[in-house]
Amino acid sequence: MTLREEIRSWLAEHLSGEFSAARGLGGPGREHEGHDIRLAWERRLGEAGWTCLGWPKEYGGREATLEEQVAFHEEYARAAAPARVGHIGEGLIGPTVIDHGTEEQRRRFLPPIRRGEELWCQGYSEPGAGSDLAGVQTRARLQDGEWVITGQKVWTSLAHVADWCFVLARTEPGSQRHRGLSYLLVPMDQPGVEVRPIVQMTGTSEFNEVFFDGARTAAANVLGAPGEGWRVAMATLGYERGASTLGQQIGFQREYAKVVETARRTGAAQDPVLRDRLVQSWLELQIMRLNALRTMTSLSAGEPGPEVSIGKLYWSEWHRRLGELAQAVQGREGLVADGPPYELNDLQRLYLFSRADTIYAGSSEIQRNIIAERTLGLPKG
Ligand SMILES: Cc1cc2nc3c(=O)[nH]c(=O)nc-3n(C[C@H](O)[C@H](O)[C@H](O)COP(=O)(O)OP(=O)(O)OC[C@H]3O[C@@H](n4cnc5c(N)ncnc54)[C@H](O)[C@@H]3O)c2cc1C
């Protein structure tokens, strides 16, 4: 049996009983849905060895090839399995610990991620440091064998459910820009950490402000050498889009199908301008899939190249246009919620949340700068 067949039959068997209610729950813009059942599902997946497939066997992974990981993500999305609650651990901090951690750190932090027992959040952005991340002001100093951390992070996705946060902090007083930063691993459940949810225009809160006021973590919980955090932080960003990209495509296809179905129902499919936009959107979806496959090929060959920026720019701009199209095909019904408790429908939520796609994981302007400078060799703007 291939890995694809194995995961397909495992999902068919296990997304049943108590977990059948979890189908389709969660994901960007819908992280508030069914957290508890999704956490239980994450642990079930972990028990069966279906998390962290690409990790080395000694840390509980399967050393699956990129193609096998893609097959997993495609089957997972096809089965409408619930969005993973452990994706920041599996996709961002896990690979960073594997590549930049000590053996002791790997043994401490990797198994609970793999088993779905510890969830993580990413503490990079601050009120004065977003695109320009080197402006980080949060500071930490060593005192009595512990790092003591003071400062504020913002837009911290899922901090309200996270057990740990990886925090970029200034540990050399007076240092500037990307020098003198350290990459600290900080437990969230302690008196010095306060999490305040930010209400988004979808009405839900997926990200937060996080205040550190004398928060503490052990001196050993620094990834890479103290003062060398920038290099480690950049490595984490490099993992931000990997094998899960092709699973994302299947989610996009499903959303697109819903837009077409709605256009048929409301009569928008008869409108020549909207028909044109629907066809254009479909064509771009096909191009995106082919480009994602090409990116996978170059990732298997080694270092990610500029296609990562091109891919991010392309999918996020496309998805935002799909959100606008989703509103257009609904006509007037897209402008109102159905009645108390005024829940948004899927297409309204798609429209509102897709506005964020061109901001997180590097805004479109930043991606264009990267493509201009590193691929086209244009001078800095
Ligand atoms: C849904 C969502 C989830 C997020 N989750 C997290 C998280 O978990 N952890 C975390 O640390 N952060 C998170 N972020 C924050 C995200 O990384 C930042 O929003 C992003 O880096 C942009 O930074 P900023 O918001 O400070 O905007 P700014 O950097 O202030 O940018 C404002 C505008 O100026 C433009 N701009 C900035 N610099 C340039 C330039 N050099 N050239 C041209 N244009 C420029 C930008 O493109 C943007 O349009 C999240 C954001 C969103 C929307």
Side-chain angles (χ1 to χ4, degrees), residues 155-172:
W155 320 124
T156 321
S157 299
L158 303 177
H160 54 294
V161 291
D163 303 291
W164 286 83
C165 183
F166 48 100
V167 176
L168 195 57
R170 203 160 283 289
T171 47
E172 291 173 13

Side-chain angles (χ1 to χ4, degrees), residues 88 121-133 153-158 200 206-207 353 356-366 369:
I88 298 177
C121 63
Q122 177 177 23
Y124 279 19
S125 304
E126 298 183 2
S131 304
D132 186 17
L133 187 58
K153 298 289 173 182
V154 71
W155 320 124
T156 321
S157 299
L158 303 177
Q200 297 158 216
E206 309 192 346
F207 52 30
F353 194 82
D357 292 336
T358 53
I359 302 173
Y360 67 82
S363 71
S364 286
E365 289 77 12
I366 295 301
N369 281 348

